[in-house]
Amino acid sequence: MLFVIFYPLKITSQNQITISVKNSKGIDLKEAKVDFSPSVSSSIFSTKDAYKLINIPNGTYFLSISHLGYKPAVDSIKINNKDLKLSYILEDDLLNLETVVITGNFNAKTKLESSTSISSLDQKELSKIAPRGTAQILQNIPGLFTDASAGEVFTKVYTRGISASAEDDMGWYYVSLQEDGLPISLVQHSYYAPDLFFRNDITTSKLEVIRGGSSSITAMNAPGGIFNFISHKKRNALGGDIQLQSGIQGNNNMFYRIDASIGSPIGNNWYLNTGGHYRQDDGARNTDFTFSKGGQFKFNLLKENSRGYFKFYGKLLNDKTNRYTGVAATNWRNPQPAFGQSFKSTALMMPEFNTSIPDGRNLSSSNNFNPGEGLHAQDYTFGIDLSQKLGKNWTIKNNIKISAKNANWQTSISNAFVSLSNPLAYFITGAQFPIGQIVFRNAQSGNELARIDNSGILNGEPFQYLTEGRLPNDAIMGTSTWLKDNETDELIQQLTLKKQFENHNLNFGFASGLSNTAVFTQGSFAFVTYENNPRMLAVTLENPNEPTIALSDENGVSNFGGLFFGNSRANITQLATFANDYWNISNNLSLDLGLRFESITHKGSNDRYEPFSQDGGLDDNPNTDYDNSVLTPTGNIDSFNYTYNYISYSAGINYKASNKTALFTRLSSGNKAPELNYYFNNFSNTPINRKGEIQKINQLELGLKSSLTNFSIAGTLFYSQLNKIGASNFEFDETTNAVFYTPMQFNSSKTIGLEWESIYSPLKNLKFLFNGTLQNPKTKTWTIYNANGTADTEDDSITNYSGNTLPCNPTVMFNLSTEYEFKNISSFVKWQFMGEREANVANAFQLPAYSIFDFGMTYKISNNISTSLLITNLFNSEGLANFYGANSFGASANGITKEFIETNPNASFIVVPVLPRGTFLKLNYKI
């Protein structure tokens, strides 16, 4: 396929040019772009191994041929009443430094010319990555820390130590996840992030990543970076791919998937691209339900004219997946699985069951709940993208889309160890006085598993078994049903007006986003065995000569809607105006200046709530204690209406030392306004009497890019400083069973480091790739609010951790891989190294360094058919990616101090291991 840019010119003679384009291995390149100067009008068609241009007038032309992954070829040709046959061999562009990029730049330019830290992955590179979600893909980009241990969603991604507010359920806090240049969503709060609505498949042609720098002026409220997944553009002939995948993960858990991407011209300069995927996945860890199931359909319809293009596009996503929680461990110095659990296979999640839980918003109705449903994500997006030349070097571009999103969570939250001697195991049910003979039955079979006497627990005595039955580990799981329903309607738009002068490219623009969102959260306690394959427990209090009291329903659910309640809604208005000047000072020196003013308004409210009070509970039955404390709205609301205004700027200089080497530096000052979790989490049943703080992010970069014959490198020294970081912890009060967030603390951090990516190709068929990051991430000023396990503020304290190392930020991480091609076979081996990380800001505990190896091989059966084998985590590494704190209900990572570890050297704690080995087999048919 050959893309040719032509404009009308009177033809004085008809000539023909035949062009052959190959790579250094002699393989025909079927996709290319050809530029003629001066422009001509021509017809083009392809043969088996060449392209033919007809109706070429006599004259002298400059010819430029470019192809993704190769260095462009430039030639001067003369034609005079004679057909020409031309042949070109394009050299490998090892890091795509001479490939044009658009993300984070107002003007399309090559990486070498850009004064930004930008990386890219083309479709060939994307195909080498296991289909385990967005974060798994981004692990291949330097300068990023990514945590994909939870699965496809609930992931964490940040750049250059800009991480402090990127909590486990807000992991995309500072960055923008985009499709085709616009954010997937502008809304973020707990359990609602943009990765919920993105699934990569073969409709993606390329990923472009900007780290820091210019994202302050080119993205909406995302100073940390941009991750832009770019869809396939037009095809000049019917073409595409159909791909079948099957695989095995973890403990023989099956995976099936089909992808398709097909495009074709449909006449009169109209082009259509369609595609998507569907998959069913039992998951990488052991659960008794299908972990992921669903897919998406995408399309774009393109119309080209002499001045530009018009594109209508859309996405329909309907997908179910889930997220993994942690695993228990002991041994602070060398963590090992505890309680018979496994870092490789244990999920420790509620089993699948169906029940109905009263809806706290309307007690006459109920909500269906099944933890096997996980996250049901739906996204219906439609947009229009147009670009038109207006004459006199003016161009207008506008990209606008509307979307309707829904994220319905039905899963479990927390999986802590709760001893049967702990009063919490009984009083968290909301029962009046659950003391005496407690009977635990298998909720599915009804069989009695254990009968105990807990009469002594209030005096500090242990419980006693009354029969031969036992519960695993003499404990239950401290867990809650987690029902969270999020609905969002959005409009996102960016308009850019460009004017090109001889040495200046000016860009002016306006961006806007309107979001209307509502979220309902409800949590109930659940009785679950604490073992590798958890079982639901139906629990009763059966004291002699007294009525039997049900502490749970028949499915094991207790304290209906009594642990968590939240009912909130908000409107977000984001408005931004920006200006940019790209100034070519000389042939080798350019200056890139940008300024952005942004205004963000949050307007919404939270419902106040209280426990429903009625003798006998909701069902008016004194023998069912599991429905006595349903949280319901009081009728009062706490409103908020705050506007955040700020100015960001960025300035970059690029010096091209030669056609193959460039230096750049960039200074940026960005801002981050609060997300909705600030209002939803921190003001529970209290007035929202203050606005959040705007975080200030300052960044300095100094970079080198060089593209030589068999070696390419891009490296950046960086310094980032983050101020006014709000920090709050999730806590549980065992005396009142209250769940709360601690008061906000405002802190600052700084990081200095080096990131690099490089490729060395000593032979035509052999490549070595090395990318990574060295950094020193530190807190400048940092305090933690210590609630001491109660909501009572009388015993609270504040601890100072200024000067400590930032948590979850390794000082070293890298990817080292080798690729080899021979005839119809290609293969690769990759080593991913993750250095030691502090588990919390107290620096009390370190997550050990770990390595993961991936292997892949592709065999080209014919020109149209190929098959691939991909193995991720080849040696089944048990690396630990995250830390959730002590193994107790309501604990947090920041609750662990050096003093706690010294006092409790044998205590168990919660870690999140990396995903175990996955083996995938693909069959690809190229149309």
Side-chain angles (χ1 to χ4, degrees), residues 536-547:
M536 299 302 299
L537 297 169
V539 183
T540 54
L541 173 65
E542 300 184 10
N543 285 327
N545 303 318
E546 294 182 10

Side-chain angles (χ1 to χ4, degrees), residues 19-61:
I19 301 176
S20 171
V21 183
K22 299 179 183 291
N23 65 13
S24 58
K25 301 181 183 69
I27 299 173
D28 293 315
L29 298 178
K30 297 299 183 182
E31 296 182 5
K33 178 183 176 183
V34 174
D35 290 314
F36 266 42
S37 178
S39 302
V40 298
S41 178
S42 172
S43 299
I44 180 173
F45 60 93
S46 60
T47 63
K48 182 179 179 181
D49 55 2
Y51 305 96
K52 290 188 177 180
L53 287 68
I54 61 175
N55 299 329
I56 304 296
N58 292 337
T60 301
Y61 302 94

Side-chain angles (χ1 to χ4, degrees), residues 249-439:
Q249 302 184 81
N251 191 14
N252 296 322
N253 299 329
M254 297 305 299
F255 171 92
Y256 306 97
R257 174 166 169 150
I258 180 171
D259 287 61
S261 177
I262 301 172
S264 175
I266 54 177
N268 197 27
N269 290 325
W270 285 91
Y271 305 86
L272 177 65
N273 262 304
T274 63
H277 74 274
Y278 180 84
R279 60 91 164 79
Q280 180 166 316
D281 180 8
D282 289 340
R285 301 187 176 279
N286 293 344
T287 61
D288 73 335
F289 49 81
T290 299
F291 198 77
S292 301
K293 183 179 181 179
Q296 69 180 1
F297 173 76
K298 294 171 63 177
F299 71 90
N300 62 68
L301 181 64
L302 177 72
K303 168 66 174 179
E304 287 188 336
N305 57 31
S306 60
R307 293 182 175 272
Y309 68 85
F310 165 91
K311 181 171 70 174
F312 175 61
Y313 60 91
K315 180 179 80 172
L316 292 85
L317 170 73
N318 191 346
D319 187 77
K320 291 182 180 180
T321 188
N322 215 314
R323 62 92 179 88
Y324 295 111
T325 51
V327 176
T330 55
N331 191 341
W332 296 99
R333 293 184 180 274
N334 182 25
Q336 299 297 317
F339 302 105
Q341 298 172 27
S342 167
F343 287 166
K344 293 184 176 72
S345 60
T346 299
L348 213 62
M349 300 173 71
M350 278 187 205
E352 184 172 25
F353 65 91
N354 285 291
T355 192
S356 294
I357 299 174
D359 189 333
R361 297 167 296 182
N362 179 6
L363 293 178
S364 62
S365 64
S366 61
N367 294 308
N368 294 326
F369 180 81
N370 180 349
E373 290 290 297
L375 164 70
H376 186 189
Q378 296 171 288
D379 183 6
Y380 305 103
T381 296
F382 300 95
I384 295 173
D385 179 17
L386 66 88
S387 177
Q388 292 289 296
K389 293 181 178 179
L390 304 177
K392 297 185 178 179
N393 293 324
W394 284 93
T395 302
I396 188 171
K397 178 175 171 58
N398 192 36
N399 194 357
I400 183 171
K401 70 176 181 180
I402 58 172
S403 66
K405 295 179 170 65
N406 180 269
N408 180 268
W409 284 94
Q410 296 179 48
T411 188
S412 53
I413 183 172
S414 180
N415 57 7
F417 175 93
V418 178
S419 169
L420 292 176
S421 295
N422 187 341
L424 174 67
Y426 315 99
F427 284 95
I428 198 172
T429 64
Q432 298 297 315
F433 194 68
I435 298 298
Q437 292 190 21
I438 307 295
V439 181

Side-chain angles (χ1 to χ4, degrees), residues 350-358 367-371 411-412 428-430 441 443 479-483 522-528 535-540 550-563 624-628 630:
M350 278 187 205
E352 184 172 25
F353 65 91
N354 285 291
T355 192
S356 294
I357 299 174
N367 294 308
N368 294 326
F369 180 81
N370 180 349
T411 188
S412 53
I428 198 172
T429 64
R441 292 182 173 88
T479 189
S480 167
T481 66
W482 188 245
L483 174 67
Q522 186 179 52
S524 309
F525 186 71
F527 283 102
V528 188
R535 295 166 288 170
M536 299 302 299
L537 297 169
V539 183
T540 54
L551 301 183
S552 77
D553 70 359
E554 66 275 13
N555 294 294
V557 180
S558 180
N559 200 354
F560 278 177
L563 285 189
T624 56
D625 273 5
Y626 53 79
D627 63 351
N628 292 348
V630 182

Side-chain angles (χ1 to χ4, degrees), residues 163-177:
S163 61
S165 296
E167 302 295 343
D168 297 305
D169 56 358
M170 290 286 294
W172 296 75
Y173 192 85
Y174 295 101
V175 297
S176 178
L177 180 60

